[in-house]
Amino acid sequence: MNNSTESKEAEYSTTMPGGEYCDVYAIQDCSKTVTVSGGKIKASVPAMQAIAIYGGATKATHPDFKVAVDPSTPDVVIPNNTVKPDDQTTTVWYKPTKKWGKVFVHHGAGSDWTAVPGEQMEGRDAQGYYKKTIDTKGEEHQICFNDGGGDWDSDNGKNYLIAKGITQVGVENGALSVGNPEAVTGQTRLLVHYKPASDEFIANRGVYVWGKDAAGAELAGQHLAFTGEDCYGKVAEPKFDGTFNNLNFIITTDGWNKFGGDRSAKVAADGTAEVWVDGTGADDVTLDKAPADYRCTAQKVDVTIHYMRNDGLYFNAADADTKVPQWDVWTWNFNTNGFAAKFKSHDDWGGLALASFNNYAYPAAADGTSDFGMLRRYGADEWKRKDGGDDDIKMTASALVFDKATNSAKAEVWLQDDSTVYTAR
Protein backbone atom coordinates (compact mmCIF):
# COMPACT_ATOMS: atom_id res chain seq x y z
CA MET A 1 0.00 0.00 0.00
CA ASN A 2 1.27 3.47 -0.93
CA ASN A 3 -0.31 6.41 0.89
CA SER A 4 2.06 8.99 -0.60
CA THR A 5 1.29 11.32 -3.51
CA GLU A 6 4.03 9.83 -5.71
CA SER A 7 4.47 6.32 -7.14
CA LYS A 8 6.99 4.13 -5.30
CA GLU A 9 9.18 1.25 -6.42
CA ALA A 10 8.83 -1.64 -3.97
CA GLU A 11 10.36 -5.08 -3.44
CA TYR A 12 8.87 -7.78 -1.22
CA SER A 13 9.69 -11.39 -0.28
CA THR A 14 7.03 -14.04 -0.76
CA THR A 15 6.56 -17.84 -0.55
CA MET A 16 4.30 -17.81 -3.59
CA PRO A 17 5.54 -19.84 -6.58
CA GLY A 18 7.08 -17.95 -9.44
CA GLY A 19 4.67 -16.74 -12.10
CA GLU A 20 2.44 -13.94 -13.31
CA TYR A 21 -0.47 -13.03 -11.01
CA CYS A 22 -3.45 -10.72 -11.48
CA ASP A 23 -3.36 -7.47 -9.53
CA VAL A 24 -6.89 -7.82 -8.20
CA TYR A 25 -6.74 -4.47 -6.41
CA ALA A 26 -6.00 -2.53 -9.57
CA ILE A 27 -8.33 -4.12 -12.13
CA GLN A 28 -11.08 -6.71 -12.66
CA ASP A 29 -9.96 -8.38 -15.90
CA CYS A 30 -6.33 -9.30 -15.11
CA SER A 31 -4.98 -6.85 -17.65
CA LYS A 32 -2.60 -5.66 -14.93
CA THR A 33 -0.31 -8.26 -13.43
CA VAL A 34 2.52 -8.67 -10.95
CA THR A 35 5.40 -11.10 -11.52
CA VAL A 36 6.87 -13.30 -8.77
CA SER A 37 10.39 -14.52 -9.45
CA GLY A 38 12.79 -16.25 -7.07
CA GLY A 39 10.62 -15.53 -4.06
CA LYS A 40 10.59 -11.80 -4.80
CA ILE A 41 8.03 -9.28 -6.01
CA LYS A 42 9.24 -6.12 -7.68
CA ALA A 43 6.52 -3.63 -8.53
CA SER A 44 5.71 0.02 -8.96
CA VAL A 45 2.91 0.99 -6.57
CA PRO A 46 0.93 3.98 -7.89
CA ALA A 47 0.32 7.04 -5.72
CA MET A 48 -2.37 6.47 -3.10
CA GLN A 49 -2.97 2.93 -4.43
CA ALA A 50 -2.02 -0.65 -3.56
CA ILE A 51 -1.30 -3.98 -5.20
CA ALA A 52 -2.96 -7.27 -4.20
CA ILE A 53 -2.28 -10.81 -5.50
CA TYR A 54 -3.24 -14.31 -4.40
CA GLY A 55 -2.48 -17.82 -5.60
CA GLY A 56 -5.83 -18.43 -7.28
CA ALA A 57 -5.70 -15.35 -9.48
CA THR A 58 -3.57 -15.94 -12.54
CA LYS A 59 -4.24 -15.23 -16.19
CA ALA A 60 -5.33 -18.86 -16.58
CA THR A 61 -7.56 -19.08 -13.52
CA HIS A 62 -8.96 -15.58 -13.04
CA PRO A 63 -12.60 -15.13 -14.13
CA ASP A 64 -13.11 -13.26 -17.40
CA PHE A 65 -14.78 -9.89 -16.92
CA LYS A 66 -16.15 -7.76 -19.72
CA VAL A 67 -15.52 -4.58 -17.73
CA ALA A 68 -11.98 -3.82 -16.63
CA VAL A 69 -12.85 -1.43 -13.80
CA ASP A 70 -15.45 -2.14 -11.13
CA PRO A 71 -18.02 0.72 -11.38
CA SER A 72 -18.26 0.82 -7.60
CA THR A 73 -14.57 1.62 -7.24
CA PRO A 74 -14.23 5.28 -6.17
CA ASP A 75 -11.96 7.62 -8.09
CA VAL A 76 -8.64 8.28 -6.41
CA VAL A 77 -7.99 11.98 -6.00
CA ILE A 78 -4.30 12.67 -5.53
CA PRO A 79 -3.78 15.95 -3.67
CA ASN A 80 -1.51 18.48 -5.30
CA ASN A 81 1.36 18.91 -2.85
CA THR A 82 3.49 20.97 -5.19
CA VAL A 83 5.14 23.71 -3.15
CA LYS A 84 4.30 27.17 -4.45
CA PRO A 85 6.04 30.42 -3.58
CA ASP A 86 4.58 32.40 -0.68
CA ASP A 87 4.66 35.46 -2.96
CA GLN A 88 2.88 34.70 -6.24
CA THR A 89 3.39 38.06 -7.93
CA THR A 90 6.23 39.61 -9.91
CA THR A 91 7.08 43.28 -10.41
CA VAL A 92 8.31 43.96 -13.94
CA TRP A 93 10.44 46.98 -14.86
CA TYR A 94 10.74 47.62 -18.59
CA LYS A 95 12.78 50.20 -20.49
CA PRO A 96 11.69 50.34 -24.16
CA THR A 97 14.23 51.07 -26.85
CA LYS A 98 11.60 53.03 -28.79
CA LYS A 99 9.58 56.08 -27.84
CA TRP A 100 6.25 54.51 -27.03
CA GLY A 101 3.47 56.74 -25.71
CA LYS A 102 2.03 53.84 -23.71
CA VAL A 103 3.51 50.51 -22.69
CA PHE A 104 1.59 47.28 -22.09
CA VAL A 105 2.84 43.98 -20.67
CA HIS A 106 1.15 40.92 -22.18
CA HIS A 107 1.75 37.87 -20.02
CA GLY A 108 0.68 34.34 -19.21
CA ALA A 109 1.45 30.63 -19.11
CA GLY A 110 0.20 27.86 -21.37
CA SER A 111 -3.18 28.90 -22.73
CA ASP A 112 -3.90 31.31 -19.86
CA TRP A 113 -2.83 34.76 -21.08
CA THR A 114 -4.03 38.31 -20.65
CA ALA A 115 -6.19 39.68 -23.43
CA VAL A 116 -4.16 41.62 -26.00
CA PRO A 117 -2.61 44.13 -25.53
CA GLY A 118 -2.22 43.16 -21.85
CA GLU A 119 -1.98 45.33 -18.76
CA GLN A 120 -0.86 48.94 -19.06
CA MET A 121 2.35 49.69 -17.19
CA GLU A 122 2.97 52.70 -14.95
CA GLY A 123 5.56 55.26 -15.96
CA ARG A 124 7.76 56.42 -17.46
CA ASP A 125 9.77 57.18 -14.27
CA ALA A 126 12.87 59.31 -13.74
CA GLN A 127 15.18 56.36 -14.50
CA GLY A 128 13.39 55.60 -17.76
CA TYR A 129 11.47 52.49 -16.68
CA TYR A 130 7.83 51.47 -16.89
CA LYS A 131 6.59 49.27 -14.06
CA LYS A 132 3.81 46.77 -13.36
CA THR A 133 3.20 44.08 -10.73
CA ILE A 134 1.56 41.02 -12.31
CA ASP A 135 -0.06 37.88 -10.92
CA THR A 136 1.97 34.80 -11.94
CA LYS A 137 -0.07 32.37 -9.80
CA GLY A 138 3.24 31.17 -8.42
CA GLU A 139 4.24 29.49 -11.70
CA GLU A 140 6.73 29.99 -14.50
CA HIS A 141 5.49 32.91 -16.59
CA GLN A 142 6.11 34.49 -19.99
CA ILE A 143 5.98 38.22 -20.75
CA CYS A 144 6.23 40.47 -23.77
CA PHE A 145 5.60 44.15 -24.38
CA ASN A 146 3.81 46.40 -26.85
CA ASP A 147 2.70 49.97 -27.44
CA GLY A 148 -1.01 49.13 -27.54
CA GLY A 149 -0.84 48.96 -31.33
CA GLY A 150 1.23 46.83 -33.64
CA ASP A 151 4.72 47.41 -32.24
CA TRP A 152 5.94 44.52 -30.05
CA ASP A 153 8.99 43.46 -28.06
CA SER A 154 8.71 39.69 -27.60
CA ASP A 155 12.39 38.72 -27.66
CA ASN A 156 12.09 37.81 -31.34
CA GLY A 157 8.94 35.78 -30.74
CA LYS A 158 10.37 33.70 -27.88
CA ASN A 159 8.96 35.94 -25.10
CA TYR A 160 10.83 36.69 -21.89
CA LEU A 161 10.66 33.92 -19.26
CA ILE A 162 10.16 34.56 -15.54
CA ALA A 163 11.17 31.52 -13.50
CA LYS A 164 8.78 30.24 -10.85
CA GLY A 165 8.99 32.28 -7.65
CA ILE A 166 10.97 35.24 -9.02
CA THR A 167 9.39 38.44 -7.66
CA GLN A 168 11.37 41.18 -9.42
CA VAL A 169 12.66 41.35 -13.01
CA GLY A 170 13.96 44.05 -15.29
CA VAL A 171 13.85 43.94 -19.10
CA GLU A 172 16.12 46.22 -21.11
CA ASN A 173 17.84 45.96 -24.48
CA GLY A 174 16.40 42.51 -25.17
CA ALA A 175 17.58 40.92 -21.94
CA LEU A 176 15.81 39.96 -18.70
CA SER A 177 17.58 40.32 -15.35
CA VAL A 178 16.48 39.17 -11.91
CA GLY A 179 15.95 41.89 -9.31
CA ASN A 180 15.05 45.55 -9.32
CA PRO A 181 17.18 47.24 -12.02
CA GLU A 182 16.68 50.68 -10.50
CA ALA A 183 18.75 52.33 -7.80
CA VAL A 184 16.92 52.45 -4.45
CA THR A 185 17.99 55.36 -2.28
CA GLY A 186 19.14 54.55 1.25
CA GLN A 187 17.68 56.49 4.17
CA THR A 188 18.48 57.65 7.71
CA ARG A 189 15.88 57.75 10.46
CA LEU A 190 15.58 60.12 13.43
CA LEU A 191 13.48 59.05 16.43
CA VAL A 192 12.85 61.81 18.97
CA HIS A 193 11.04 61.24 22.30
CA TYR A 194 10.08 64.51 23.99
CA LYS A 195 8.53 64.85 27.43
CA PRO A 196 6.59 68.13 27.03
CA ALA A 197 7.61 71.25 28.92
CA SER A 198 5.05 72.91 31.21
CA ASP A 199 4.09 75.46 28.54
CA GLU A 200 3.73 72.87 25.78
CA PHE A 201 -0.07 73.05 25.60
CA ILE A 202 0.43 76.65 24.41
CA ALA A 203 3.73 76.36 22.53
CA ASN A 204 3.06 73.12 20.63
CA ARG A 205 6.69 72.65 19.64
CA GLY A 206 8.02 70.40 16.91
CA VAL A 207 11.49 69.40 15.69
CA TYR A 208 13.68 71.50 13.41
CA VAL A 209 16.22 69.22 11.66
CA TRP A 210 19.27 69.88 9.47
CA GLY A 211 22.61 68.26 8.71
CA LYS A 212 25.14 67.07 6.17
CA ASP A 213 25.25 63.51 4.84
CA ALA A 214 28.32 61.27 4.57
CA ALA A 215 28.95 62.48 1.02
CA GLY A 216 28.88 66.13 2.11
CA ALA A 217 25.45 67.02 0.73
CA GLU A 218 23.46 69.46 2.83
CA LEU A 219 20.09 68.56 4.32
CA ALA A 220 18.17 71.81 4.21
CA GLY A 221 16.63 72.75 7.55
CA GLN A 222 12.98 71.80 7.97
CA HIS A 223 10.46 72.10 10.76
CA LEU A 224 8.53 68.89 11.47
CA ALA A 225 5.62 68.26 13.79
CA PHE A 226 5.53 65.53 16.40
CA THR A 227 3.33 62.79 14.97
CA GLY A 228 2.58 60.54 17.94
CA GLU A 229 2.65 60.03 21.68
CA ASP A 230 4.12 57.20 23.76
CA CYS A 231 4.47 56.54 27.48
CA TYR A 232 7.19 59.21 27.75
CA GLY A 233 5.65 62.01 25.71
CA LYS A 234 5.58 63.20 22.11
CA VAL A 235 7.24 61.25 19.30
CA ALA A 236 8.67 62.31 15.94
CA GLU A 237 10.03 59.76 13.42
CA PRO A 238 11.22 61.54 10.26
CA LYS A 239 13.27 59.76 7.58
CA PHE A 240 15.74 61.40 5.22
CA ASP A 241 17.23 60.20 1.95
CA GLY A 242 20.97 59.56 2.22
CA THR A 243 23.43 58.23 4.80
CA PHE A 244 24.13 60.49 7.78
CA ASN A 245 26.52 60.04 10.68
CA ASN A 246 24.85 62.76 12.73
CA LEU A 247 21.66 64.80 12.55
CA ASN A 248 21.21 68.20 14.17
CA PHE A 249 17.90 69.28 15.65
CA ILE A 250 16.14 71.80 17.89
CA ILE A 251 12.94 71.37 19.89
CA THR A 252 11.08 74.49 18.76
CA THR A 253 7.99 76.02 17.24
CA ASP A 254 8.20 77.30 13.69
CA GLY A 255 8.34 80.76 15.33
CA TRP A 256 11.52 79.75 17.25
CA ASN A 257 10.01 79.34 20.71
CA LYS A 258 12.65 76.80 21.69
CA PHE A 259 13.26 74.40 24.54
CA GLY A 260 17.04 74.49 24.84
CA GLY A 261 19.38 75.06 21.93
CA ASP A 262 21.04 73.09 19.15
CA ARG A 263 21.27 69.35 19.71
CA SER A 264 23.03 66.52 17.89
CA ALA A 265 21.94 62.91 17.45
CA LYS A 266 24.44 60.23 16.46
CA VAL A 267 23.25 57.69 13.91
CA ALA A 268 23.79 54.08 14.98
CA ALA A 269 24.90 51.23 12.71
CA ASP A 270 21.27 50.25 12.15
CA GLY A 271 20.50 53.60 10.48
CA THR A 272 18.58 55.30 13.31
CA ALA A 273 19.48 58.13 15.66
CA GLU A 274 17.26 57.82 18.76
CA VAL A 275 17.17 60.45 21.51
CA TRP A 276 15.13 61.46 24.54
CA VAL A 277 14.61 65.08 25.66
CA ASP A 278 12.97 65.83 29.02
CA GLY A 279 11.12 69.14 28.73
CA THR A 280 10.54 69.16 32.49
CA GLY A 281 14.27 68.99 33.25
CA ALA A 282 17.48 70.73 32.25
CA ASP A 283 17.15 72.21 28.77
CA ASP A 284 20.70 71.29 27.69
CA VAL A 285 20.42 67.51 28.20
CA THR A 286 19.91 65.07 25.31
CA LEU A 287 19.91 61.36 26.14
CA ASP A 288 20.89 58.67 23.64
CA LYS A 289 19.76 55.84 25.93
CA ALA A 290 16.29 55.28 27.35
CA PRO A 291 15.82 56.98 30.76
CA ALA A 292 14.57 55.02 33.75
CA ASP A 293 10.99 56.21 33.29
CA TYR A 294 10.79 55.07 29.67
CA ARG A 295 8.96 51.77 30.23
CA CYS A 296 6.40 51.55 27.48
CA THR A 297 4.12 48.56 27.01
CA ALA A 298 1.93 47.40 24.15
CA GLN A 299 -0.96 45.00 23.90
CA LYS A 300 0.09 44.30 20.30
CA VAL A 301 3.28 44.85 18.30
CA ASP A 302 3.23 44.70 14.48
CA VAL A 303 6.61 44.24 12.81
CA THR A 304 7.13 44.85 9.08
CA ILE A 305 10.14 42.95 7.74
CA HIS A 306 11.89 43.84 4.46
CA TYR A 307 14.47 41.43 3.05
CA MET A 308 16.73 42.00 0.06
CA ARG A 309 18.57 39.09 -1.55
CA ASN A 310 21.18 40.01 -4.14
CA ASP A 311 20.45 36.81 -6.08
CA GLY A 312 16.68 37.50 -6.10
CA LEU A 313 15.98 33.89 -5.09
CA TYR A 314 13.43 34.15 -2.32
CA PHE A 315 12.11 30.93 -3.86
CA ASN A 316 14.48 28.64 -5.77
CA ALA A 317 12.54 26.48 -8.22
CA ALA A 318 15.78 24.83 -9.39
CA ASP A 319 16.43 23.27 -5.95
CA ALA A 320 14.84 19.82 -6.15
CA ASP A 321 16.58 18.60 -2.99
CA THR A 322 14.74 20.92 -0.59
CA LYS A 323 11.08 20.30 0.26
CA VAL A 324 10.27 23.99 0.72
CA PRO A 325 12.92 25.85 -1.32
CA GLN A 326 12.22 29.36 -0.05
CA TRP A 327 13.32 31.84 2.58
CA ASP A 328 11.37 33.02 5.61
CA VAL A 329 12.17 34.70 8.94
CA TRP A 330 12.09 32.73 12.20
CA THR A 331 11.11 35.25 14.86
CA TRP A 332 10.27 35.25 18.58
CA ASN A 333 10.52 37.28 21.78
CA PHE A 334 10.54 36.62 25.53
CA ASN A 335 6.85 35.70 25.76
CA THR A 336 6.20 34.40 22.23
CA ASN A 337 7.34 31.03 20.91
CA GLY A 338 9.19 31.04 17.62
CA PHE A 339 7.22 31.13 14.39
CA ALA A 340 7.90 31.69 10.69
CA ALA A 341 7.08 35.05 9.12
CA LYS A 342 6.47 34.44 5.41
CA PHE A 343 7.43 36.76 2.56
CA LYS A 344 3.97 36.88 0.99
CA SER A 345 4.57 40.10 -0.93
CA HIS A 346 7.37 42.43 -1.94
CA ASP A 347 8.20 46.06 -2.60
CA ASP A 348 10.91 47.80 -4.63
CA TRP A 349 13.52 46.82 -2.03
CA GLY A 350 12.76 43.10 -1.69
CA GLY A 351 10.61 40.53 0.12
CA LEU A 352 7.99 41.78 2.57
CA ALA A 353 6.72 39.88 5.65
CA LEU A 354 4.53 40.82 8.60
CA ALA A 355 4.77 39.47 12.15
CA SER A 356 2.57 40.27 15.15
CA PHE A 357 3.21 39.82 18.88
CA ASN A 358 1.05 40.33 21.97
CA ASN A 359 1.57 41.75 25.47
CA TYR A 360 4.98 43.35 25.17
CA ALA A 361 7.01 45.41 27.64
CA TYR A 362 10.03 47.48 26.55
CA PRO A 363 13.26 45.82 27.65
CA ALA A 364 16.40 47.20 26.02
CA ALA A 365 19.71 45.42 26.59
CA ALA A 366 22.85 47.38 27.36
CA ASP A 367 23.86 47.17 23.68
CA GLY A 368 20.51 48.59 22.56
CA THR A 369 19.04 45.35 21.23
CA SER A 370 15.54 44.13 21.94
CA ASP A 371 14.55 40.51 22.44
CA PHE A 372 12.90 40.16 19.01
CA GLY A 373 14.76 37.46 17.10
CA MET A 374 15.22 37.79 13.33
CA LEU A 375 16.72 34.64 11.75
CA ARG A 376 16.58 34.31 8.00
CA ARG A 377 16.33 30.63 7.13
CA TYR A 378 16.07 28.62 3.92
CA GLY A 379 14.14 25.39 3.59
CA ALA A 380 11.55 26.04 6.30
CA ASP A 381 11.81 23.40 9.07
CA GLU A 382 14.74 21.71 7.33
CA TRP A 383 16.84 24.81 8.16
CA LYS A 384 19.06 24.19 5.13
CA ARG A 385 20.77 27.59 5.33
CA LYS A 386 20.82 30.80 7.35
CA ASP A 387 21.61 34.26 6.07
CA GLY A 388 23.56 36.76 8.18
CA GLY A 389 25.44 34.21 10.30
CA ASP A 390 24.75 31.37 12.70
CA ASP A 391 24.34 33.43 15.88
CA ASP A 392 21.03 34.71 17.23
CA ILE A 393 20.20 37.95 15.45
CA LYS A 394 18.10 40.48 17.34
CA MET A 395 16.21 43.60 16.32
CA THR A 396 17.42 46.82 17.91
CA ALA A 397 15.06 48.47 20.40
CA SER A 398 15.17 51.67 18.35
CA ALA A 399 12.91 49.97 15.79
CA LEU A 400 9.99 50.13 18.23
CA VAL A 401 7.55 53.04 18.19
CA PHE A 402 4.82 52.91 20.83
CA ASP A 403 1.38 54.49 20.52
CA LYS A 404 -0.20 55.43 23.83
CA ALA A 405 -3.68 55.99 22.34
CA THR A 406 -4.05 52.45 21.00
CA ASN A 407 -1.77 50.65 23.49
CA SER A 408 0.13 49.23 20.54
CA ALA A 409 3.54 49.46 18.93
CA LYS A 410 5.04 49.11 15.48
CA ALA A 411 8.45 48.36 14.07
CA GLU A 412 9.89 48.29 10.57
CA VAL A 413 13.20 46.60 9.77
CA TRP A 414 15.34 45.89 6.72
CA LEU A 415 17.48 42.75 6.33
CA GLN A 416 20.15 41.97 3.78
CA ASP A 417 23.19 39.65 3.61
CA ASP A 418 24.81 40.69 6.90
CA SER A 419 23.87 40.27 10.57
CA THR A 420 22.60 43.83 11.13
CA VAL A 421 18.88 44.41 11.56
CA TYR A 422 18.52 47.83 9.96
CA THR A 423 15.81 50.23 11.14
CA ALA A 424 16.08 52.43 8.05
CA ARG A 425 16.20 51.41 4.41
Side-chain angles (χ1 to χ4, degrees):
M1 183 176 292
N2 177 13
N3 282 326
S4 75
T5 57
E6 297 178 352
S7 62
K8 301 290 184 182
E9 299 299 319
E11 181 176 326
Y12 301 98
S13 297
T14 179
T15 58
M16 294 176 68
E20 189 176 13
Y21 295 86
C22 305
D23 181 357
V24 296
Y25 182 91
I27 209 85
Q28 284 196 135
D29 64 0
C30 205
S31 58
K32 292 186 179 180
T33 60
V34 176
T35 299
V36 176
S37 177
K40 299 285 187 182
I41 298 173
K42 291 183 178 180
S44 178
V45 185
M48 302 189 73
Q49 296 281 352
I51 59 173
I53 62 174
Y54 65 95
T58 67
K59 278 187 173 294
T61 62
H62 194 272
D64 186 23
F65 287 95
K66 294 181 180 179
V67 181
V69 179
D70 185 344
S72 66
T73 301
D75 291 333
V76 175
V77 179
I78 300 174
N80 185 358
N81 291 332
T82 303
V83 176
K84 284 197 172 186
D86 291 324
D87 185 354
Q88 298 183 14
T89 62
T90 301
T91 299
V92 180
W93 285 264
Y94 176 63
K95 183 180 287 188
T97 56
K98 300 177 181 179
K99 291 183 179 180
W100 288 348
K102 295 180 180 179
V103 176
F104 295 81
V105 55
H106 181 44
H107 61 91
S111 60
D112 184 14
W113 279 71
T114 54
V116 175
E119 298 183 74
Q120 186 170 351
M121 304 184 76
E122 304 159 9
R124 179 173 189 152
D125 67 16
Q127 297 183 50
Y129 287 94
Y130 292 82
K131 174 183 168 184
K132 185 68 179 179
T133 298
I134 62 175
D135 181 6
T136 64
K137 299 179 174 63
E139 300 292 352
E140 188 177 82
H141 217 65
Q142 295 184 56
I143 56 174
C144 55
F145 307 91
N146 65 86
D147 65 348
D151 207 357
W152 287 78
D153 175 3
S154 60
D155 192 20
N156 296 316
K158 296 180 293 183
N159 297 325
Y160 299 97
L161 183 64
I162 302 173
K164 178 179 178 178
I166 297 299
T167 59
Q168 297 174 322
V169 296
V171 178
E172 182 178 357
N173 295 324
L176 181 145
S177 61
V178 174
N180 181 355
E182 297 195 311
V184 179
T185 304
Q187 293 184 321
T188 300
R189 172 173 170 260
L190 176 63
L191 183 56
V192 179
H193 308 269
Y194 171 55
K195 184 182 291 187
S198 58
D199 66 342
E200 200 60 43
F201 70 97
I202 298 174
N204 194 26
R205 296 179 177 90
V207 185
Y208 182 83
V209 185
W210 75 99
K212 183 180 291 186
D213 70 15
E218 295 282 351
L219 170 65
Q222 49 191 290
H223 186 266
L224 305 167
F226 285 102
T227 54
E229 185 177 2
D230 62 14
C231 64
Y232 187 75
K234 294 185 175 184
V235 179
E237 189 193 11
K239 297 174 183 177
F240 307 98
D241 288 344
T243 301
F244 292 79
N245 296 320
N246 293 278
L247 287 166
N248 304 310
F249 71 101
I250 303 171
I251 305 295
T252 181
T253 66
D254 55 6
W256 298 104
N257 179 354
K258 299 184 287 185
F259 177 77
D262 293 1
R263 304 174 191 269
S264 180
K266 184 178 180 181
V267 180
D270 66 354
T272 288
E274 184 176 27
V275 293
W276 287 260
V277 176
D278 185 353
T280 67
D283 65 5
D284 60 348
V285 176
T286 305
L287 301 177
D288 60 6
K289 288 183 173 55
D293 57 346
Y294 185 78
R295 289 296 175 261
C296 293
T297 61
Q299 197 169 47
K300 184 182 180 184
V301 180
D302 291 323
V303 182
T304 301
I305 305 167
H306 304 261
Y307 179 36
M308 181 180 67
R309 291 195 55 78
N310 291 326
D311 61 9
L313 294 178
Y314 302 93
F315 180 96
N316 186 2
D319 182 1
D321 297 324
T322 303
K323 292 180 180 178
V324 184
Q326 59 189 337
W327 289 87
D328 60 29
V329 172
W330 187 257
T331 185
W332 71 95
N333 66 16
F334 74 97
N335 67 345
T336 303
N337 293 329
F339 64 95
K342 306 288 188 178
F343 293 105
K344 295 183 178 181
S345 61
H346 63 277
D347 59 11
D348 288 359
W349 204 76
L352 190 61
L354 302 175
S356 293
F357 303 82
N358 295 321
N359 301 320
Y360 187 75
Y362 178 87
D367 62 357
T369 60
S370 71
D371 59 348
F372 286 85
M374 293 281 157
L375 295 182
R376 286 144 282 172
R377 64 175 190 170
Y378 178 74
D381 292 341
E382 290 183 272
W383 289 83
K384 285 289 190 77
R385 290 166 55 196
K386 289 198 291 186
D387 198 4
D390 290 327
D391 296 332
D392 276 358
I393 296 174
K394 300 289 183 70
M395 180 179 81
T396 55
S398 64
L400 292 161
V401 179
F402 291 85
D403 181 21
K404 183 178 179 180
T406 60
N407 191 23
S408 65
K410 66 173 184 177
E412 189 170 16
V413 297
W414 285 260
L415 309 173
Q416 46 191 36
D417 58 359
D418 59 19
S419 61
T420 302
V421 178
Y422 294 92
T423 53
R425 189 182 69 206

